[in-house]
């Protein structure tokens, strides 16, 4: 059975992204996958990497649980809107904080990076108000490239196909229904893929027990 982690990276639970995440999960489950749907807006964590990479910033419990979910997954799906050629702050903060150096990636002695989440695949689904020719031809597809190449592939996940949904602004109810069915079909197809047997298993940080102040 394939284990799929779906990251809903839209701040609004009434958004098209949220609906797409739900529908993808339904499609994947109908094909037999074990699916965890994680809405980043519901997590309690500091979005900012306060001191960059100069000092350790302990992960909040929600991020520790997210790391455990990433380790357990065979396939990771990121669903987000394109905002200003990039992604929402909640997704950027989640990636900055969760994909720690030494956990999601490391640098070899020769200076080249090694992705420590290798053996997993991923998919990026992005909504946009811009037509595809504008995003890819004039804007360089910056948000998709950031997620696929500079983040997911950098950490070892591959392949990482991308699906672009849009233009959303001014879309009809029929068009949105078609997108929902398209994404459900992607979920069914991804669920039928055989999980890879070469997964690397990063160490999952275990939070220290909370002291009993009443003791």
């Amino acid at each position: 059975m394939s284990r799929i982690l779906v990251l809903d990276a839209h701040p609004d639970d009434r958004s098209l992204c949220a609906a797409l995440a739900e529908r993808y999960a339904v499609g994947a489950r109908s094909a037999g996958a074990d699916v965890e749907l994680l809405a980043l807006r519901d997590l309690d964590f500091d979005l900012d990497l306060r001191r960059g990479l100069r000092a350790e910033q302990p992960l909040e419990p929600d991020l520790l649980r997210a790391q455990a979910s990433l380790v357990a997954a065979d396939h990771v799906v990121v669903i987000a809107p394109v905002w200003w050629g990039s992604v929402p702050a909640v997704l950027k903060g989640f990636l900055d904080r969760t994909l720690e150096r030494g956990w999601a990636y490391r640098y070899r002695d020769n200076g080249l990076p090694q992705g420590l989440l290798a053996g997993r695949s991923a998919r990026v689904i992005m909504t946009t108000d811009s037509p595809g020719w504008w995003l890819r031809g004039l804007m360089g597809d910056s948000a998709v490239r950031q997620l696929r190449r500079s983040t997911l592939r950098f950490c070892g996940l591959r392949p990482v196909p991308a699906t672009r949904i849009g233009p959303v602004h001014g879309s009809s109810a029929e068009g949105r229904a078609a997108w929902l069915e398209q994404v459900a079909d992607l979920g069914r197809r991804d669920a039928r893929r055989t999980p890879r047997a070469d997964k690397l298993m990063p160490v999952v940080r275990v939070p220290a027990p909370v002291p009993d102040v009443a003791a």
Side-chain angles (χ1 to χ4, degrees):
M1 177 188 298
S2 181
R3 296 176 62 93
I4 298 178
L5 174 64
V6 181
L7 302 178
D8 172 3
H10 201 292
D12 186 356
D13 63 1
R14 299 164 297 176
S15 66
L16 177 61
C17 282
L20 292 170
E22 291 280 359
R23 191 61 64 89
Y24 179 98
V26 168
R29 288 180 181 126
S30 72
D34 179 3
V35 181
E36 179 182 358
L37 175 53
L38 186 61
L40 302 188
R41 60 183 168 270
D42 295 335
L43 305 186
D44 183 13
F45 69 100
D46 185 350
L47 295 178
D48 293 321
L49 198 58
R50 295 287 173 179
R51 288 170 286 179
L53 298 177
R54 292 184 294 104
E56 184 176 356
Q57 185 173 343
L59 296 184
E60 294 85 347
D62 280 353
L63 294 187
L64 290 168
R65 285 188 284 269
Q67 281 192 340
S69 295
L70 285 165
V71 169
D74 301 305
H75 185 65
V76 179
V77 182
V78 182
I79 302 179
V82 177
W83 286 353
W84 292 111
S86 186
V87 297
V90 68
L91 176 56
K92 185 62 168 63
F94 176 83
L95 298 173
D96 286 349
R97 295 291 318 287
T98 304
L99 301 180
E100 296 179 294
R101 182 171 61 182
W103 183 84
Y105 70 95
R106 71 178 184 92
Y107 289 100
R108 299 182 176 94
D109 292 341
N110 61 7
L112 295 177
Q114 177 187 14
L116 300 179
L117 293 174
R120 296 159 180 82
S121 56
R123 179 180 293 280
V124 171
I125 300 173
M126 305 208 74
T127 62
T128 174
D129 286 333
S130 301
W133 63 265
W134 173 272
L135 283 179
R136 292 189 289 272
L138 297 181
M139 302 303 293
D141 217 9
S142 54
V144 170
R145 291 176 62 191
Q146 172 193 338
L147 284 175
R148 293 180 72 196
R149 180 189 301 177
S150 301
T151 305
L152 298 171
R153 286 180 181 171
F154 186 87
C155 292
L157 292 90
R158 61 190 64 219
V160 189
T163 301
R164 300 161 186 82
I165 301 290
V168 175
H169 181 72
S171 60
S172 65
E174 293 78 10
R176 293 190 292 274
W179 289 329
L180 290 169
E181 183 51 40
Q182 175 188 356
V183 167
D185 186 58
L186 290 176
R188 289 187 286 267
R189 287 162 48 189
D190 288 349
R192 297 187 185 107
R193 297 176 60 173
T194 302
R196 290 172 56 176
D198 58 343
K199 284 198 300 183
L200 296 180
M201 303 302 288
V203 175
V204 177
R205 313 288 203 268
V206 178
V210 177
D212 185 354
V213 295

